[in-house]
Amino acid sequence: MFSHPKEVVNKIGLTSGMVVADVGSGSGEYSIALAKAVGHEGRVYAIDVQKELLTKVKNAASKEGIGTIEVIWGDVEKSGGSGLSDNSVDVSVLANVLFQLEDKKSAISELVRITRPTGKIVIVDWRDSFGGLGPRAQDVISVEDAEALFAESGFKKTSDFDAGDHHYGLILKRS
């Protein structure tokens, strides 16, 4: 079974009114679940480098009657590439994206930049390649490697969670 956005979002401790960045939002399954969790007082920034996927996010939000998702065409592998201000979000979510990033350190720096000092970063990524079901074996980022990458930027794991049969979930905060 793949990661289930609604179940994952229920595990990360969001409350009404929070501001969340869905970094590498893809077609928006996480964005929709995040928006429902933060309610009408909250805000979700769906950020992706692929414009056509952002159109899907807009359409899905409209279909669900959700007006609190703002789509941003951006490249988080560049400084300022999210289009967001420093310390502007309570939670940054990176779901099924870490393994795809070419410049992981730059992307992590961008996440750190936009996440408030009291905020958290949530990672959901593949445990393995599962015989070609997930990413190529050489692209998989282990839990330990993910923790180490974020530790270099001053974030440490505060908890982990079950994100499905093929994924792991981490919650990180500034150390």
XYZ file of all heavy atoms in Angstrom, residues 63-167:
792
model
N -12.905 21.608 -6.995
C -13.893 20.523 -6.948
C -14.308 20.210 -5.511
O -15.457 19.882 -5.242
C -13.301 19.288 -7.629
C -14.260 18.152 -7.815
C -13.603 17.017 -8.581
C -14.559 15.878 -8.800
N -13.941 14.771 -9.533
N -13.343 20.325 -4.578
C -13.608 20.039 -3.160
C -14.156 21.268 -2.424
O -14.449 21.201 -1.231
C -12.317 19.586 -2.467
C -11.765 18.283 -2.986
C -12.183 17.098 -2.148
O -12.777 17.279 -1.069
O -11.933 15.969 -2.591
N -14.231 22.409 -3.110
C -14.712 23.626 -2.474
C -13.724 24.223 -1.490
O -14.102 24.875 -0.519
N -12.440 24.022 -1.750
C -11.389 24.516 -0.859
C -10.766 25.766 -1.480
O -10.227 25.713 -2.585
C -10.305 23.435 -0.636
C -10.920 22.221 0.066
C -9.135 24.004 0.155
C -10.008 21.010 0.131
N -10.827 26.860 -0.739
C -10.278 28.107 -1.237
C -9.031 28.569 -0.512
O -8.587 29.702 -0.676
N -8.453 27.697 0.306
C -7.306 28.096 1.128
C -5.975 27.553 0.604
O -4.975 27.624 1.301
C -7.502 27.621 2.577
O -7.732 26.211 2.568
C -8.663 28.346 3.233
N -5.987 27.023 -0.615
C -4.747 26.535 -1.220
C -4.281 27.548 -2.256
O -5.040 27.923 -3.146
C -4.941 25.160 -1.897
C -5.318 24.095 -0.860
C -3.671 24.744 -2.645
C -5.656 22.735 -1.458
N -3.044 27.981 -2.100
C -2.435 28.867 -3.091
C -1.353 28.082 -3.822
O -0.458 27.529 -3.176
C -1.827 30.088 -2.413
C -1.185 31.057 -3.392
C -0.611 32.286 -2.712
O -1.119 32.677 -1.639
O 0.356 32.836 -3.249
N -1.451 28.009 -5.135
C -0.441 27.286 -5.902
C 0.695 28.242 -6.268
O 0.465 29.415 -6.591
C -1.013 26.598 -7.162
C -2.051 25.566 -6.789
C -1.563 27.591 -8.142
N 1.916 27.725 -6.171
C 3.107 28.516 -6.468
C 4.013 27.704 -7.376
O 4.437 26.599 -7.029
C 3.874 28.882 -5.179
C 2.995 29.726 -4.255
C 5.171 29.621 -5.528
C 3.612 29.975 -2.890
N 4.295 28.265 -8.535
C 5.254 27.638 -9.431
C 6.638 28.039 -8.936
O 6.997 29.217 -8.917
C 5.034 28.117 -10.869
C 6.000 27.552 -11.845
C 6.335 26.244 -12.013
C 6.748 28.264 -12.822
N 7.241 26.099 -13.025
C 7.509 27.333 -13.533
C 6.844 29.623 -13.151
C 8.369 27.707 -14.566
C 7.691 29.985 -14.173
C 8.439 29.038 -14.869
N 7.380 27.063 -8.440
C 8.678 27.373 -7.861
C 9.594 26.176 -7.833
O 9.166 25.029 -7.937
N 10.866 26.469 -7.697
C 11.907 25.447 -7.645
C 12.633 25.568 -6.315
O 13.451 26.473 -6.118
C 12.888 25.650 -8.811
C 13.963 24.572 -8.878
O 14.042 23.730 -7.951
O 14.726 24.581 -9.851
N 12.333 24.669 -5.398
C 12.903 24.749 -4.052
C 14.379 24.382 -4.007
O 15.015 24.530 -2.973
C 12.122 23.891 -3.032
C 10.707 24.408 -2.869
C 12.154 22.431 -3.388
N 14.927 23.947 -5.117
C 16.360 23.669 -5.154
C 17.168 24.943 -5.381
O 18.387 24.898 -5.475
C 16.681 22.618 -6.219
C 16.118 21.255 -5.840
C 16.425 20.173 -6.850
O 17.556 19.650 -6.833
O 15.526 19.859 -7.661
N 16.472 26.076 -5.436
C 17.115 27.385 -5.579
C 16.764 28.225 -4.355
O 15.639 28.175 -3.857
C 16.619 28.089 -6.842
C 17.031 27.398 -8.123
C 16.535 28.188 -9.326
C 17.167 27.723 -10.599
N 16.667 26.523 -11.151
N 17.701 29.028 -3.905
C 17.443 29.911 -2.775
C 16.311 30.871 -3.131
O 16.340 31.523 -4.175
C 18.711 30.698 -2.438
O 18.467 31.544 -1.342
N 15.279 30.918 -2.292
C 14.112 31.744 -2.556
C 13.154 31.135 -3.563
O 12.136 31.737 -3.894
N 13.456 29.942 -4.035
C 12.673 29.306 -5.094
C 11.269 28.907 -4.725
O 10.445 28.639 -5.602
N 10.942 28.897 -3.431
C 9.570 28.578 -3.017
C 8.643 29.765 -3.217
O 7.426 29.600 -3.242
C 9.543 28.167 -1.546
O 9.841 29.289 -0.718
N 9.224 30.955 -3.326
C 8.414 32.155 -3.446
C 7.842 32.633 -2.126
O 7.065 33.586 -2.091
N 8.206 31.985 -1.031
C 7.682 32.353 0.287
C 8.711 33.165 1.071
O 9.915 33.061 0.837
C 7.309 31.092 1.077
C 6.214 30.223 0.464
C 6.010 28.965 1.295
C 4.919 30.998 0.330
N 8.221 33.937 2.028
C 9.078 34.749 2.891
C 9.765 33.883 3.938
O 9.302 32.778 4.256
C 8.243 35.804 3.619
O 7.575 36.621 2.700
N 10.822 34.414 4.514
C 11.499 33.750 5.629
C 10.500 33.512 6.760
O 9.654 34.375 7.038
C 12.620 34.627 6.189
C 13.790 34.825 5.227
O 13.772 34.247 4.125
O 14.722 35.569 5.596
N 10.627 32.367 7.406
C 9.834 32.052 8.605
C 8.338 32.268 8.412
O 7.655 32.791 9.291
C 10.325 32.892 9.798
C 11.801 32.733 10.052
O 12.333 31.625 10.024
N 12.481 33.837 10.279
N 7.809 31.843 7.270
C 6.412 32.138 6.945
C 5.445 30.973 7.132
O 4.235 31.172 7.053
C 6.312 32.654 5.507
O 6.829 31.701 4.598
N 5.963 29.771 7.391
C 5.059 28.632 7.542
C 5.296 27.909 8.865
O 6.400 27.872 9.394
C 5.155 27.623 6.360
C 4.823 28.297 5.043
C 6.505 26.950 6.279
N 4.203 27.333 9.377
C 4.285 26.541 10.611
C 4.851 25.157 10.335
O 5.556 24.587 11.170
C 2.891 26.384 11.229
C 2.290 27.717 11.627
O 2.917 28.420 12.452
O 1.212 28.063 11.105
N 4.484 24.597 9.176
C 4.891 23.240 8.828
C 5.245 23.199 7.343
O 4.488 23.691 6.505
C 3.761 22.214 9.107
C 4.203 20.797 8.747
C 3.320 22.279 10.562
N 6.396 22.603 7.042
C 6.776 22.318 5.659
C 6.687 20.813 5.468
O 7.243 20.054 6.266
C 8.202 22.789 5.371
O 8.282 24.191 5.396
N 5.981 20.394 4.429
C 5.802 18.965 4.151
C 6.518 18.638 2.844
O 6.331 19.309 1.828
C 4.300 18.612 4.032
C 4.119 17.147 3.646
C 3.580 18.931 5.339
N 7.327 17.600 2.902
C 8.061 17.112 1.735
C 7.694 15.636 1.582
O 8.269 14.766 2.220
C 9.566 17.283 1.976
C 10.505 17.144 0.801
C 10.282 18.272 -0.208
C 11.954 17.181 1.276
N 6.665 15.372 0.772
C 6.133 14.010 0.636
C 6.481 13.425 -0.725
O 6.104 13.977 -1.765
C 4.626 14.017 0.843
N 7.192 12.335 -0.712
C 7.599 11.624 -1.931
C 8.407 12.511 -2.866
O 8.281 12.425 -4.087
C 6.376 11.053 -2.667
C 5.651 10.023 -1.837
O 6.265 9.131 -1.262
N 4.343 10.162 -1.736
N 9.261 13.344 -2.278
C 10.035 14.298 -3.064
C 11.531 14.192 -2.789
O 12.338 14.358 -3.709
C 9.566 15.748 -2.782
C 10.423 16.769 -3.502
C 8.107 15.916 -3.167
N 11.927 13.917 -1.557
C 13.340 13.943 -1.177
C 14.189 13.102 -2.127
O 15.247 13.538 -2.576
C 13.513 13.483 0.274
C 14.913 13.608 0.862
C 15.396 15.053 0.817
C 14.944 13.086 2.295
N 13.729 11.930 -2.482
C 14.513 11.051 -3.359
C 14.683 11.637 -4.758
O 15.612 11.283 -5.474
C 13.891 9.643 -3.432
C 12.697 9.539 -4.335
C 12.839 9.204 -5.672
C 11.411 9.767 -3.848
C 11.740 9.103 -6.512
C 10.313 9.670 -4.673
C 10.468 9.339 -6.015
N 13.798 12.539 -5.167
C 13.843 13.120 -6.515
C 14.762 14.336 -6.629
O 15.138 14.716 -7.736
C 12.439 13.565 -6.950
C 11.443 12.443 -7.042
C 10.079 12.971 -7.464
O 9.948 13.541 -8.531
N 9.086 12.789 -6.611
N 15.079 14.960 -5.525
C 15.846 16.200 -5.549
C 17.290 15.958 -5.962
O 17.964 15.103 -5.391
C 15.807 16.870 -4.177
C 14.435 17.310 -3.688
C 14.506 17.718 -2.216
C 13.901 18.436 -4.542
N 17.746 16.747 -6.920
C 19.155 16.651 -7.316
C 20.037 17.377 -6.313
O 21.093 16.892 -5.945
C 19.344 17.234 -8.719
C 18.770 16.343 -9.805
C 19.021 16.907 -11.194
O 20.060 17.564 -11.404
O 18.168 16.675 -12.061
N 19.612 18.562 -5.889
C 20.384 19.356 -4.933
C 19.653 19.363 -3.594
O 18.945 20.316 -3.244
C 20.574 20.778 -5.473
C 21.559 21.586 -4.644
O 21.914 21.159 -3.525
O 21.964 22.667 -5.112
N 19.812 18.268 -2.882
C 19.088 18.092 -1.622
C 19.435 19.174 -0.601
O 18.568 19.688 0.097
C 19.351 16.705 -1.056
C 18.694 15.610 -1.887
C 19.180 14.236 -1.469
C 18.625 13.110 -2.309
N 18.477 13.322 -3.727
N 20.713 19.539 -0.525
C 21.124 20.528 0.481
C 20.505 21.894 0.221
O 20.075 22.571 1.148
C 22.647 20.611 0.550
C 23.231 19.364 1.180
C 24.703 19.462 1.417
C 25.162 18.152 2.039
N 26.521 18.211 2.515
N 20.420 22.302 -1.040
C 19.783 23.592 -1.359
C 18.295 23.549 -1.048
O 17.732 24.514 -0.517
C 19.991 23.957 -2.831
O 21.331 24.297 -3.050
N 17.652 22.440 -1.365
C 16.218 22.298 -1.083
C 15.976 22.324 0.424
O 15.032 22.983 0.898
C 15.678 21.013 -1.696
N 16.809 21.643 1.183
C 16.670 21.635 2.635
C 16.876 23.042 3.187
O 16.135 23.495 4.059
C 17.623 20.605 3.276
C 17.135 19.192 2.930
C 17.730 20.820 4.787
C 18.131 18.093 3.237
N 17.847 23.766 2.649
C 18.067 25.152 3.080
C 16.831 26.008 2.828
O 16.481 26.863 3.648
C 19.260 25.762 2.341
O 20.452 25.150 2.750
N 16.161 25.782 1.711
C 14.951 26.531 1.402
C 13.833 26.174 2.387
O 13.112 27.051 2.862
C 14.518 26.283 -0.046
C 13.316 27.064 -0.491
C 13.488 28.585 -0.535
O 14.594 29.108 -0.257
O 12.496 29.270 -0.820
N 13.693 24.897 2.719
C 12.689 24.484 3.712
C 12.978 25.113 5.069
O 12.063 25.616 5.734
C 12.669 22.966 3.858
C 12.068 22.163 2.712
C 12.261 20.677 2.962
C 10.608 22.476 2.530
N 14.232 25.089 5.463
C 14.627 25.675 6.744
C 14.328 27.177 6.736
O 13.815 27.723 7.715
C 16.121 25.397 7.022
C 16.639 26.220 8.182
C 16.341 23.903 7.267
N 14.605 27.843 5.633
C 14.393 29.285 5.522
C 12.919 29.664 5.704
O 12.594 30.624 6.398
C 14.891 29.787 4.154
C 14.801 31.297 3.980
C 15.176 31.723 2.574
N 14.178 31.348 1.582
C 13.002 31.963 1.407
N 12.643 32.976 2.168
N 12.155 31.554 0.464
N 12.014 28.897 5.109
C 10.595 29.265 5.152
C 9.874 28.788 6.417
O 8.801 29.274 6.729
C 9.833 28.769 3.901
C 9.764 27.242 3.843
C 10.439 29.376 2.643
C 8.877 26.690 2.726
N 10.468 27.854 7.146
C 9.822 27.278 8.332
C 10.117 28.135 9.564
O 11.269 28.455 9.846
C 10.300 25.832 8.565
O 10.062 25.071 7.370
C 9.569 25.185 9.717
N 9.061 28.510 10.269
C 9.200 29.344 11.464
C 10.101 28.665 12.493
O 10.170 27.430 12.556
C 7.824 29.606 12.076
C 6.970 30.471 11.188
C 5.657 30.853 11.834
N 4.963 31.782 10.951
C 3.712 31.633 10.527
N 2.974 30.629 10.955
N 3.187 32.515 9.719
N 10.764 29.458 13.345
C 11.649 28.878 14.367
C 10.958 27.827 15.243
O 11.598 26.878 15.690
C 12.085 30.091 15.196
C 12.000 31.234 14.240
C 10.807 30.922 13.361
N 9.668 27.987 15.479
C 8.928 27.022 16.299
C 8.237 25.950 15.439
O 7.547 25.088 15.965
C 7.851 27.746 17.131
O 7.000 28.476 16.225
C 8.473 28.697 18.131
N 8.442 26.020 14.126
C 7.763 25.117 13.199
C 8.433 23.770 13.061
O 9.426 23.463 13.722
N 7.861 22.973 12.172
C 8.423 21.642 11.939
C 8.439 21.315 10.455
O 7.713 21.912 9.664
C 7.668 20.576 12.733
C 6.179 20.499 12.479
C 5.520 19.550 13.486
C 4.017 19.667 13.451
N 3.387 18.844 14.488
N 9.278 20.364 10.129
C 9.378 19.836 8.772
C 8.959 18.377 8.834
O 9.408 17.633 9.714
C 10.812 19.981 8.216
C 11.176 21.466 8.081
C 10.941 19.265 6.865
C 12.609 21.724 7.654
N 8.080 17.994 7.921
C 7.586 16.618 7.858
C 8.085 15.992 6.561
O 7.906 16.564 5.487
C 6.047 16.578 7.906
C 5.543 15.147 7.763
C 5.530 17.210 9.194
N 8.705 14.828 6.698
C 9.216 14.099 5.545
C 8.453 12.788 5.413
O 8.299 12.051 6.392
C 10.721 13.743 5.714
C 11.547 14.978 6.053
C 11.254 13.012 4.486
C 11.546 16.037 5.009
N 7.978 12.500 4.214
C 7.427 11.194 3.875
C 8.180 10.756 2.632
O 8.225 11.484 1.642
C 5.908 11.255 3.580
C 5.399 9.891 3.124
C 5.137 11.754 4.784
N 8.823 9.603 2.710
C 9.552 9.136 1.535
C 9.612 7.613 1.515
O 9.206 6.944 2.465
C 10.961 9.740 1.480
C 11.336 10.141 0.063
O 11.623 9.252 -0.758
O 11.320 11.354 -0.228
N 10.115 7.107 0.417
C 10.149 5.669 0.160
C 11.173 4.956 1.030
O 12.300 5.428 1.180
C 10.489 5.417 -1.303
C 9.390 5.799 -2.237
C 9.140 7.031 -2.762
C 8.385 4.928 -2.754
N 8.028 6.979 -3.576
C 7.553 5.703 -3.589
C 8.107 3.571 -2.592
C 6.460 5.164 -4.261
C 7.029 3.044 -3.261
C 6.220 3.839 -4.083
N 10.798 3.804 1.570
C 11.711 2.972 2.366
C 12.721 2.237 1.483
O 13.833 1.969 1.896
C 10.941 1.915 3.148
C 10.113 2.447 4.253
C 9.526 1.282 5.068
N 8.619 1.766 6.066
C 8.999 2.257 7.237
N 10.263 2.318 7.529
N 8.100 2.702 8.085
N 12.291 1.886 0.274
C 13.117 1.068 -0.614
C 12.587 1.236 -2.031
O 11.596 1.937 -2.248
C 13.044 -0.413 -0.176
C 14.246 -1.224 -0.617
O 14.962 -0.795 -1.531
O 14.460 -2.308 -0.037
N 13.213 0.540 -2.977
C 12.723 0.633 -4.362
C 11.665 -0.436 -4.653
O 10.943 -0.339 -5.631
C 13.873 0.502 -5.351
O 14.406 -0.799 -5.320
N 11.569 -1.439 -3.816
C 10.537 -2.471 -3.925
C 10.439 -3.051 -5.331
O 9.371 -3.094 -5.934
C 9.172 -1.940 -3.453
C 9.197 -1.493 -2.021
C 9.324 -0.152 -1.696
C 9.116 -2.417 -0.989
C 9.368 0.259 -0.368
C 9.156 -2.017 0.332
C 9.286 -0.681 0.638
N 11.587 -3.445 -5.845
C 11.615 -4.106 -7.151
C 11.095 -3.236 -8.281
O 10.455 -3.723 -9.202
N 11.346 -1.945 -8.203
C 10.929 -1.042 -9.260
C 9.607 -0.353 -9.000
O 9.195 0.502 -9.770
N 8.922 -0.689 -7.914
C 7.654 -0.041 -7.579
C 7.890 1.412 -7.184
O 7.147 2.293 -7.563
C 6.954 -0.786 -6.438
C 5.643 -0.196 -5.933
C 4.600 -0.198 -7.038
C 5.143 -0.993 -4.747
N 8.950 1.651 -6.445
C 9.300 3.007 -6.023
C 10.437 3.544 -6.862
O 10.612 3.155 -8.015
N 11.228 4.436 -6.275
C 12.369 4.997 -7.000
C 13.438 3.938 -7.263
O 13.409 2.859 -6.664
C 12.890 6.070 -6.050
C 12.381 5.705 -4.708
C 11.114 4.948 -4.920
N 14.365 4.272 -8.133
C 15.499 3.365 -8.362
C 16.244 3.187 -7.043
O 16.303 4.120 -6.235
C 16.456 3.942 -9.411
C 15.821 4.117 -10.774
C 16.770 4.729 -11.772
N 17.327 5.973 -11.226
C 18.375 6.609 -11.731
N 19.002 6.149 -12.794
N 18.817 7.733 -11.186
N 16.788 2.009 -6.824
C 17.451 1.697 -5.554
C 18.495 2.749 -5.188
O 18.606 3.144 -4.026
C 18.079 0.307 -5.619
N 19.253 3.226 -6.168
C 20.313 4.211 -5.878
C 19.752 5.592 -5.518
O 20.478 6.431 -5.011
C 21.308 4.323 -7.038
C 20.723 4.838 -8.325
C 20.276 3.727 -9.275
O 19.885 2.652 -8.836
N 20.327 3.998 -10.568
N 18.460 5.821 -5.751
C 17.849 7.115 -5.426
C 17.152 7.134 -4.066
O 16.787 8.207 -3.576
C 16.838 7.514 -6.509
C 17.506 7.798 -7.842
O 18.694 8.179 -7.850
O 16.841 7.620 -8.881
N 16.949 5.968 -3.470
C 16.264 5.889 -2.176
C 17.116 6.578 -1.108
O 18.321 6.383 -1.033
C 16.006 4.414 -1.783
C 15.467 4.311 -0.364
C 15.056 3.767 -2.773
N 16.456 7.412 -0.300
C 17.108 8.079 0.826
C 16.620 7.396 2.098
O 15.433 7.466 2.427
C 16.750 9.583 0.884
C 17.064 10.276 -0.438
C 17.441 10.266 2.060
C 18.521 10.281 -0.818
N 17.523 6.727 2.793
C 17.131 6.009 4.007
C 16.704 6.995 5.093
O 17.021 8.189 5.037
C 18.299 5.161 4.520
O 19.325 6.011 5.030
N 16.010 6.472 6.078
C 15.603 7.282 7.226
C 16.834 7.921 7.854
O 16.844 9.125 8.152
C 14.861 6.414 8.275
C 14.591 7.200 9.536
C 13.573 5.858 7.699
N 17.887 7.140 8.037
C 19.100 7.639 8.675
C 19.742 8.756 7.847
O 20.191 9.769 8.394
C 20.107 6.495 8.886
C 19.630 5.406 9.826
C 18.639 4.405 9.199
O 18.553 4.339 7.946
O 17.953 3.706 9.952
N 19.778 8.576 6.526
C 20.363 9.601 5.663
C 19.509 10.869 5.665
O 20.038 11.985 5.659
C 20.545 9.082 4.233
C 21.677 8.067 4.114
O 22.498 7.955 5.057
O 21.742 7.387 3.073
N 18.198 10.704 5.675
C 17.310 11.874 5.730
C 17.537 12.642 7.032
O 17.678 13.872 7.023
C 15.851 11.442 5.603
N 17.618 11.919 8.139
C 17.865 12.569 9.428
C 19.194 13.315 9.411
O 19.288 14.446 9.894
C 17.871 11.536 10.556
C 16.500 11.028 10.919
C 16.549 10.017 12.058
O 17.288 10.250 13.045
O 15.836 9.007 11.975
N 20.227 12.690 8.854
C 21.555 13.306 8.798
C 21.549 14.564 7.930
O 22.163 15.577 8.296
C 22.583 12.299 8.279
N 20.864 14.526 6.795
C 20.787 15.697 5.919
C 20.156 16.887 6.633
O 20.639 18.018 6.530
C 19.973 15.372 4.664
C 20.669 14.574 3.575
C 19.647 14.054 2.562
C 21.725 15.420 2.881
N 19.093 16.641 7.362
C 18.411 17.730 8.058
C 19.172 18.157 9.305
O 19.134 19.336 9.680
C 16.958 17.355 8.364
C 16.077 17.517 7.165
C 15.896 16.473 6.276
C 15.463 18.729 6.897
C 15.115 16.618 5.144
C 14.674 18.892 5.768
C 14.498 17.841 4.884
N 19.870 17.231 9.949
C 20.673 17.573 11.130
C 21.740 18.598 10.766
O 22.043 19.499 11.564
C 21.303 16.322 11.725
N 22.296 18.507 9.564
C 23.306 19.473 9.102
C 22.735 20.885 9.059
O 23.470 21.860 9.134
C 23.806 19.097 7.700
C 24.648 17.854 7.654
C 25.011 17.447 6.228
O 24.954 18.294 5.312
O 25.352 16.269 6.049
N 21.414 21.008 8.930
C 20.753 22.316 8.879
C 20.085 22.678 10.200
O 19.250 23.585 10.255
C 19.715 22.321 7.757
O 20.349 22.194 6.510
N 20.406 21.948 11.256
C 19.904 22.287 12.580
C 18.550 21.708 12.938
O 17.931 22.143 13.909
N 18.076 20.730 12.173
C 16.800 20.091 12.491
C 17.059 18.661 12.942
O 17.879 17.961 12.356
C 15.871 20.083 11.267
C 15.048 21.324 11.127
C 15.629 22.516 10.742
C 13.692 21.314 11.406
C 14.882 23.675 10.615
C 12.927 22.470 11.288
C 13.526 23.650 10.891
N 16.349 18.248 13.984
C 16.487 16.863 14.441
C 15.120 16.210 14.524
O 14.094 16.886 14.699
C 17.210 16.790 15.779
C 16.427 17.361 16.930
C 17.142 17.145 18.246
C 16.270 17.668 19.368
N 16.819 17.436 20.667
N 15.130 14.904 14.439
C 13.883 14.136 14.515
C 13.301 14.250 15.912
O 13.986 14.030 16.902
C 14.156 12.665 14.178
C 12.916 11.782 14.293
C 13.209 10.347 13.936
C 13.766 9.636 15.137
N 13.863 8.189 14.982
N 12.016 14.611 15.965
C 11.319 14.602 17.241
C 10.424 13.379 17.340
O 10.129 12.923 18.429
C 10.480 15.877 17.450
O 9.550 16.005 16.373
C 11.374 17.109 17.507
N 9.996 12.869 16.177
C 9.215 11.635 16.158
C 9.187 11.079 14.743
O 9.549 11.753 13.782
C 7.788 11.873 16.666
O 7.110 12.796 15.846
N 8.754 9.840 14.669
C 8.525 9.230 13.361
C 7.149 8.595 13.400
O 6.530 8.487 14.455
C 9.621 8.228 12.980
C 9.856 7.161 14.023
O 8.949 6.885 14.846
O 10.930 6.557 14.023
N 6.656 8.217 12.231
C 5.319 7.631 12.171
C 5.227 6.700 10.977
O 6.013 6.787 10.036
C 4.240 8.724 12.107
C 4.380 9.670 10.946
C 3.765 9.415 9.729
C 5.131 10.827 11.078
C 3.900 10.281 8.667
C 5.271 11.716 10.012
C 4.650 11.434 8.803
N 4.258 5.817 11.056
C 3.993 4.879 9.976
C 3.309 5.639 8.852
O 2.249 6.230 9.037
C 3.100 3.747 10.493
C 2.733 2.741 9.411
O 3.394 2.719 8.352
O 1.789 1.971 9.636
N 3.937 5.627 7.686
C 3.389 6.345 6.535
C 2.949 5.391 5.432
O 2.854 5.767 4.279
C 4.420 7.336 6.012
N 2.710 4.142 5.788
C 2.299 3.144 4.802
C 3.335 2.043 4.683
O 4.435 2.141 5.222
N 2.987 1.010 3.960
C 3.864 -0.152 3.839
C 5.188 0.152 3.149
O 6.183 -0.524 3.396
C 3.160 -1.276 3.065
C 1.979 -1.850 3.838
O 1.903 -1.624 5.065
O 1.146 -2.521 3.212
N 5.221 1.142 2.284
C 6.418 1.414 1.494
C 7.109 2.724 1.849
O 8.102 3.089 1.222
C 6.062 1.427 -0.002
C 5.570 0.108 -0.491
N 4.230 -0.130 -0.742
C 6.218 -1.043 -0.751
C 4.096 -1.383 -1.147
N 5.282 -1.954 -1.156
N 6.589 3.452 2.837
C 7.105 4.775 3.161
C 7.426 4.915 4.645
O 6.887 4.202 5.470
C 6.074 5.852 2.791
C 5.804 5.939 1.328
N 4.953 5.080 0.675
C 6.291 6.780 0.391
C 4.924 5.395 -0.608
N 5.727 6.416 -0.803
